[in-house]
Amino acid sequence: MTARFEAGLPTVPDYAASLRGWLRGALSSGGALEDWSERAPDSHVDEVRHGLELARIMWSEGWKRVGWPAEVGGVGGGPRHRAAYYDELAWAGVDVPDSDLPVEVLGPGTLAHAPELAARFLPNVLAGRELWGQGFSEPDAGSDLAGLRTRARPVDGGYVVSGQKTWTSNGYLADRLWVLVRTGTPEERHRGITALLIDADSPGISRRPLEFASGVEEMCETFFEDVFVSEDRRVGDENRGWYVAMDLLQYERSMYAAQRQGHLLSRLRDLAAIVRSDSEKDTPEAARMLAEAWQAVSELRARCIQTVGRLDAGEVVGPEASVDKLLLVRAEQVVFDASRRVLRDDFVLGSQARRWRDGWWYSRAASIYGGSVEIQRSILADRVLGLPKEGS
Amino acid sequence: MGHTPAFDAGTMALLRESVNELLRDAGVGHIGLALTDLGWSEVVRESPAMARMLFDEQGALAADAASLDTVVSLIHAVPLDSRVVWPVPKVGVDGSGGAYSGIALGRIEAETLVTRLDSEVVVVEATSSDVQRPVDGFDRGSAAAWYVGHGRVLDRLGPWDAVQAVARRAVASELVGLGRGALDLAVEHVGSREQFGRPIGSFQSVRHRLAQAYARLKGADALVTLAWDEPSLDGSRSARVAAGQAHEIAVSESIQVCGAMGLSNEHRLPRYVRRGFFLDRLVGATDDLLAEIGRSVIDEKIVRLGAF
């Protein structure tokens, strides 16, 4: 534990500057992150554990407490502080752990709609002692999420859940699953959905890892067979889960974008270093691709700065968050398309390009998960541009 | 971001309306004097980022009031109605070699003008042997003219780079305005034009083209805002590129969905194309700046733009 911020909450620029300075020392010889940074995880599971360990260290050093309220062990502050945290980590060459991604998607929504659950579990999540997974999609409910069918039958003291989720993120390793279930009739669609926080080791849950095209088993299918979930694990009111999820989505589309821009900036710098060190790769075409990638990431970054500022000021971001998501998708794909073209033979034939290949596949998913680009464009068409409804 | 506007929302709305009116009235002329009467110098001294409003509005209207010339007065103590010869390489212009040449955003009848010489901003004397010839180019109806000047240097004000950076973010603002103007015309068109028994704006491909164009305009706009709030050479350059690309996408998608009507000069849309492509050549074209940026990225001269 540390008393780093007991004197008071620093301004965002002060916080960012002190973190930047601390990271320089921590990552060098004798520093708090030296051992951590010397370990090179060689599997996905290892990477997740490595990321959880980073969260533990950064929580105990106090840096990660900034941006969260006292109710969950934080020292105050908000989205801007958190965005600065991820930004400084990435700039120092430390990738934001996978385990921190659902935190930004699920944490603020849980705080808002189930403060008791947040107080109970979020401190451990933030401190890297437990991992949450997100269970929204089903085999027959992807873009049409309101058609989900995993059923939660009310019983004495809670619900009995039966059904199947797919593409459960962090699913296989998660300790707890944040799940949308149907408590109403199928015809009620979004008005009959409830959000539950379910322990992954509950009797009746089984999981099957899904191998992504890159070979990484990051997600899983999750099967629920008569799983009892106590009532105190409901997030928000019964049949109001859709609205909790919509609230969540503005965080996913904004904070997640803010986390990823730093990651993409890091990858771009790595790519530039590769080109700099190999004159055969230093061509005008490569320069052009890197410029396009820089521009795409910069547009995303500038937009994230604006959006996070709005979130921090308590504004509802609403349908404009779809702009952030579309800019993120473009940045992801431009960066990793550039990596494929710039690395040339190495990308396809070399043995050292695993992270680029994994990144390329993941960037293909960017336009599909969290609301596909088709969904985002429809949202902008309807609610921002005021265009006639489709099929009207 | 931490930027607090110096003016409240009501005042800004009034200023925007005034600027808009001036631009509509200016026609093809120079806005400098009218802006002076409005008190524009005091406004931008109080809040430099307000200067972008002039260019936002000029873009939205696809107006041509030589507003770009006013950026020099944002950095140097020259009058708002100073005329500038922008250093653009000559294309097929006759006239004996002068000391300097480039594009003027309208015929110059002043005694002095501002231009670039040896990487510096200079004030030069206009002389009777200076040659002016209308640009007979893509932007039909524009008052732009090739200018070949022979007069002596009266004053050296500072490095051209600084003026170029402000000019780039001004052009960036205007390009975003033009792109948004084109998009607004497209939205209006597809909302009313019916085919197959329904508005063409109800077809998914039309909706999605315009939505994607909107997203790119917002991305560029964010970089433009950052460039005005935290001025830098790099930031202005990136804003300029983003705006050029977003403009190109916006006019391209707008032209497509407006069909044949959008390709006629009876429609306002072609104006938004012509103005944007002309502006692209004035202070560094998108393609050339991209090449520069690529070099900077490879040579590790990357800085993070802005901060949370």
Side-chain angles (χ1 to χ4, degrees), chain B residues 43-67:
Chain B
V43 168
V44 297
R45 193 177 311 127
E46 178 81 25
S47 174
M50 284 286 283
R52 76 167 284 185
M53 185 185 280
L54 175 59
F55 302 98
D56 292 342
E57 294 303 305
Q58 186 163 273
L61 292 168
D64 180 9
S67 297

Side-chain angles (χ1 to χ4, degrees), chain B residues 25-100:
Chain B
D25 291 343
V28 179
H30 197 285
I31 203 174
L33 277 173
L35 282 174
T36 310
D37 291 340
L38 184 64
W40 192 245
S41 304
E42 286 69 48
V43 168
V44 297
R45 193 177 311 127
E46 178 81 25
S47 174
M50 284 286 283
R52 76 167 284 185
M53 185 185 280
L54 175 59
F55 302 98
D56 292 342
E57 294 303 305
Q58 186 163 273
L61 292 168
D64 180 9
S67 297
L68 193 61
D69 288 359
T70 67
V71 302
V72 185
S73 67
L74 292 176
I75 306 185
H76 298 297
V78 299
L80 255 178
D81 62 337
S82 300
R83 302 308 310 274
V84 181
V85 170
W86 295 95
V88 176
K90 271 184 297 175
V91 174
V93 174
D94 303 325
S96 50
Y100 62 92

Side-chain angles (χ1 to χ4, degrees), chain B residues 237-261:
Chain B
R237 182 176 63 182
S238 274
R240 168 61 194 82
V241 168
Q245 292 184 319
H247 168 265
E248 199 175 323
I249 289 167
V251 297
S252 172
E253 301 295 26
S254 298
I255 284 177
Q256 179 60 24
V257 305
C258 285
M261 278 149 67

Side-chain angles (χ1 to χ4, degrees), chain A residues 80 83 87-88 91 272 276 282 287 291-292 294-295 299 301 320 330 374 377-378 382 384 388-391, chain B residues 201-202 204 207-208 211-212 214 216 238 245 287 290 293-295 297-298 300 302-306 308:
Chain A
R80 280 180 65 209
D87 202 33
E88 294 305 330
W91 192 249
R276 206 163 41 247
D282 192 347
E292 293 276 10
W294 166 254
Q295 282 296 122
E299 282 182 37
R301 181 182 172 83
E320 282 276 344
R330 177 159 184 270
E374 285 74 21
R377 287 169 193 153
S378 285
D382 284 339
V384 176
K389 294 263 181 267
E390 244 169 77
Chain B
S202 66
Q204 190 175 87
R207 283 159 48 93
H208 285 197
Q212 184 67 21
Y214 177 83
R216 292 299 301 280
S238 274
Q245 292 184 319
D287 285 339
L290 268 169
I293 290 170
R295 207 61 251 156
V297 171
I298 294 173
E300 209 183 7
I302 301 185
V303 288
R304 287 183 283 180
L305 292 174
F308 287 97

Side-chain angles (χ1 to χ4, degrees), chain A residues 196-212:
Chain A
L196 298 174
L197 185 62
I198 305 178
D199 291 350
D201 60 0
S202 305
I205 293 186
S206 58
R207 295 178 278 186
R208 188 178 83 84
L210 288 166
E211 186 179 317
F212 199 53

